[in-house]
Amino acid sequence: MVQEETRKGPWTEQEDVQLVFYVKLFGDRRWDFIAKVSGLKRTGKSCRLRWVNYLHPDLKRGKMTLHEERLVLELHSKWGNRWSRIAQKLPGRTDNEIKNYWRTHMRKKAQEKKKAISPSSSSSSSFSSSSPTTEFTPVAENNERSFYDTGGRNVLANNIGKKSDFEVDMDDIWKDIELSEGNCKFSSCQTMASPIWDFCQDPSLWPMDKEEQNKMVLPMSDHFNYFTFYNQEMIG
DNA sequence: AAAGCATACAACCGCTTCTAA
DNA sequence: CTTAGAAGCGGTTGTATGCTT
């Protein structure tokens, strides 16, 4: 398909609002369609990512709680870099967020531990982003769906009953966390909903005024009747 | 106060998997 | 059954912000 010119880079607030609007109309599945129909010069892929990682109403924001940290550690030790799977166990957190978090916090932490334990083994790097072959099998236990799981392919985990090296360090890490637990004020780790969503949730904002409509890139007038109809059909 | 470095997070890319025609 | 397009995942990169020297 020839798309005139797709925008890249950071999303503007206006784009966010626009995307939320169309996702509300059409649901969070048909991303290419949404991308086209919304008038956003973004790919469906980009729209999905933005929604999943930033705009989804169930998203938590703010720091990971101790509990979440633990969970990430534990699940990563089980499943390796199956971020989406791990994210399913942390409501309100995205795979991207967990992935980032892991890279910055946990991996560093674990590497330090590793170093402390075996300073001689310079570059065994057994820990670094465990490859699929060293991962654990996810027990096929849950039918849960994470909020960001828009119903895509089922993740079939490869069932290899092997322990990752990382697990060896788990006890140490737990201890570490235990120690630091006293320092973490849970109240300060509170989360908040996506700000854009707050904005968009407010029904008073949906009937946009003229100025707002003009700001929108989308050809509102052309599609609006259809959308209104569609909206009623779909959302009820 | 400024430069350099580290960290956190958003977004993109390429590949895999799923699904519908 | 085959295949093309859509959707999802994991890895990687870019950028903004905070911290240290």
Side-chain angles (χ1 to χ4, degrees), chain A residues 39-106:
Chain A
L40 289 164
K41 292 187 169 101
R42 300 278 184 172
T43 63
K45 223 175 173 180
S46 180
C47 292
R48 176 187 161 269
L49 210 66
R50 184 62 177 172
W51 171 258
V52 159
N53 287 331
Y54 194 81
L55 298 174
H56 198 287
D58 293 344
L59 270 179
K60 282 182 188 173
R61 303 223 150 245
K63 285 198 164 186
M64 290 264 190
T65 64
L66 249 301
H67 175 69
E68 286 171 322
E69 263 185 37
R70 285 175 177 226
L71 222 48
V72 171
L73 275 170
E74 190 181 330
L75 296 177
H76 185 273
S77 74
K78 272 189 188 172
W79 299 329
N81 296 359
R82 300 272 167 217
W83 303 117
S84 63
R85 192 176 174 81
I86 293 172
Q88 285 176 20
K89 295 291 183 186
L90 285 98
R93 302 294 184 185
T94 69
D95 54 351
N96 208 32
E97 194 177 4
I98 293 169
K99 187 167 59 181
N100 282 331
Y101 185 79
W102 175 262
R103 282 178 64 82
T104 51
H105 287 79
M106 296 306 165

